[in-house]
Amino acid sequence: MSSMMRRPTPHRFSPYRFAGGKTAKNRVVVPPMCSQTADARGNAAAATIAHYARLAESGAGTIFVEYSFVHPSGKGEDHQLAADSDANVEGLANVAGVIQRAGALAGQQLVHVGGKTTRAMIGGDPMSPSGVRVPVKGWEPDAPVAMSLADVRAWVRWFTEAALRARAAGFDLVELHAAHGYGLNQWLSPLTNNRTDAYGGDMAARGRLLFEIVESIRAAAPELLLAVRLPGQDHMEGGLTAADMRWVVHRLEGLGMDLIDVSSGIGGWRRPEGRTGEGYLVDDAAALKSSTTLPVIGVGGIETGAYIDRILAEGRVDFAAVGRAVLKDPSAWGQRQLNVRVRHEVM
Ligand SMILES: Cc1cc2nc3c(=O)[nH]c(=O)nc-3n(C[C@H](O)[C@H](O)[C@H](O)COP(=O)(O)O)c2cc1C
């Protein structure tokens, strides 16, 4: 390529145009963060809408709505948002609306927590690939029951129906949550999947359910931007490795995925021991970015525009997710790091 044709170095303010034409106005993403503001049935409440209007004051170009369960058996905590019923769509549309009116793309993260829950939370036995109790720091999930093939098919249906609800609610993006030890992470990981059928064994088999869900959503909603939150690795002995995840991303690229969001796995999203400074999971994101043409989001303790500019310029990520630093005070963060001007709205 001649120097005349070289692309300009991306920075935090560079827009990003996705396949299909939707454009994120900048490279800052607010990652999904559970607000526990939904009502008892999982519908967005006034507090949920206010919460996302506040996050949108950050000026981030893309804002993900927290993990929303695709079926009551996949619920992880009280007052979690739901995406399991058409009754959820009206509230979700209000949430997507406040994000989009601030000029950001709105994403919804979908989850089935699998075995990372309790009987008390879901009113029955948690389900998981092999009935292996999910290792969790700080609390113990109840022992799960191994899923039948009929359960596997139900997951494909539940995720697909939930994605269609997100589309009906007007979201620009849907993100499948396959990280942090939740359901789809349990399928990918050799720590929690020791099945001997077509859905267990090598990486191709352990990834099969995720790939089937992606294919199903792609067929049902070809125009929906589809992201997946993946572990860069499990960050737990005997778990998913960076090489495993390179293989998974390669397969997903072939299935028409639009965006890869790289966090951690069974070990959870917090800072792994020995990693210091901003961007504690960015090395994992960069390792995957070097082997794919798909855009990649990096995350973990990112706080400053200067750091974001650096990792974008170095080509280590395409987007930087800023969670807790934004959550603390979205508008102050936006003013400081994205030059967002204070707006005094006339009501
Ligand atoms: C209050 C809170 C809730 C979270 N909920 C989710 C969630 O629903 N889905 C998810 O994938 N990650 C969730 N996370 C993890 C964040 O998306 C992010 O990966 C993590 O906070 C690290 O980024 P940060 O250091 O910029 O905060 C949550 C984090 C926090 C602090």
Side-chain angles (χ1 to χ4, degrees):
M1 204 191 318
S2 82
S3 60
M4 293 286 286
M5 289 169 64
R6 206 170 286 147
R7 289 188 183 184
T9 305
H11 51 77
R12 76 192 100 149
F13 300 105
S14 308
Y16 187 94
R17 190 172 182 278
F18 287 98
K22 290 203 171 177
T23 300
K25 67 182 172 185
N26 60 42
R27 303 301 182 93
V28 174
V29 169
V30 176
M33 288 182 285
C34 191
S35 64
Q36 291 189 279
T37 54
D39 72 16
R41 291 192 309 276
N43 287 321
T48 318
I49 297 160
H51 175 76
Y52 284 99
R54 185 173 162 271
L55 287 184
E57 290 173 10
S58 64
T62 305
I63 297 181
F64 280 101
V65 169
E66 64 208 70
Y67 76 156
S68 311
F69 59 86
V70 299
H71 188 263
S73 61
K75 181 176 175 183
E77 55 192 319
D78 288 325
H79 296 287
Q80 189 181 346
L81 264 185
D84 68 313
S85 150
D86 291 344
N88 308 136
V89 172
E90 189 184 339
L92 290 172
N94 290 330
V95 173
V98 290
I99 293 170
Q100 290 161 339
R101 278 197 291 284
L105 295 182
Q108 185 183 19
Q109 189 186 48
L110 301 178
V111 74
H112 191 297
V113 301
K116 193 170 172 180
T117 191
T118 60
R119 291 182 56 84
M121 182 57 59
I122 61 172
D125 288 326
M127 48 169 96
S128 78
S130 304
V132 176
R133 205 190 289 264
V134 186
V136 178
K137 286 177 196 134
W139 63 282
E140 183 153 278
D142 284 334
V145 170
M147 285 162 62
S148 67
L149 287 177
D151 295 330
V152 169
R153 282 191 291 274
W155 275 36
V156 176
R157 196 172 68 246
W158 294 337
F159 272 100
T160 307
E161 288 170 355
L164 292 178
R165 289 185 192 106
R167 181 178 72 174
F171 281 96
D172 301 290
L173 280 141
V174 161
E175 178 175 88
L176 305 174
H177 195 353
H180 305 169
Y182 292 112
L184 290 172
N185 192 168
Q186 292 156 32
W187 281 90
L188 294 173
S189 180
L191 291 170
T192 40
N193 180 348
N194 52 36
R195 292 172 77 101
T196 52
D197 64 5
Y199 292 87
D202 63 11
M203 196 61 253
R206 283 182 277 119
R208 186 181 303 270
L209 175 55
L210 174 63
F211 304 144
E212 287 181 359
I213 290 169
V214 169
E215 283 173 317
S216 172
I217 295 174
R218 263 284 154 264
E223 73 296 349
L224 195 62
L225 288 176
L226 194 53
V228 62
R229 195 162 216 199
L230 290 173
Q233 50 180 306
D234 262 335
H235 284 289
M236 196 171 274
E237 190 66 34
L240 289 164
T241 64
D244 289 332
M245 297 318 297
R246 269 198 297 278
W247 193 90
V248 169
V249 168
H250 181 70
R251 268 303 300 274
L252 290 171
E253 191 170 341
L255 296 177
M257 186 62 66
D258 295 294
L259 181 60
I260 303 290
D261 183 2
V262 182
S263 186
S264 183
I266 303 271
W269 55 262
R270 290 193 163 76
R271 185 184 293 274
E273 230 172 277
R275 295 220 178 161
T276 55
E278 285 192 69
Y280 61 74
L281 293 175
V282 165
D283 282 350
D284 302 75
L288 288 182
K289 178 162 166 61
S290 66
S291 70
T292 181
T293 60
L294 292 175
V296 168
I297 307 175
V299 72
I302 300 175
E303 299 194 342
T304 63
Y307 175 80
I308 295 169
D309 285 345
R310 189 164 88 234
I311 58 176
L312 289 168
E314 289 170 356
R316 307 181 72 213
V317 297
D318 300 284
F319 292 92
V322 184
R324 286 163 293 178
V326 161
L327 190 60
K328 223 172 13 189
D329 189 340
S331 116
W333 193 88
Q335 286 166 49
R336 242 177 270 129
Q337 311 297 340
L338 288 176
N339 306 336
V340 172
R341 278 190 300 264
V342 192
R343 275 206 318 243
H344 298 284
E345 302 225 348
V346 181
M347 300 298 282

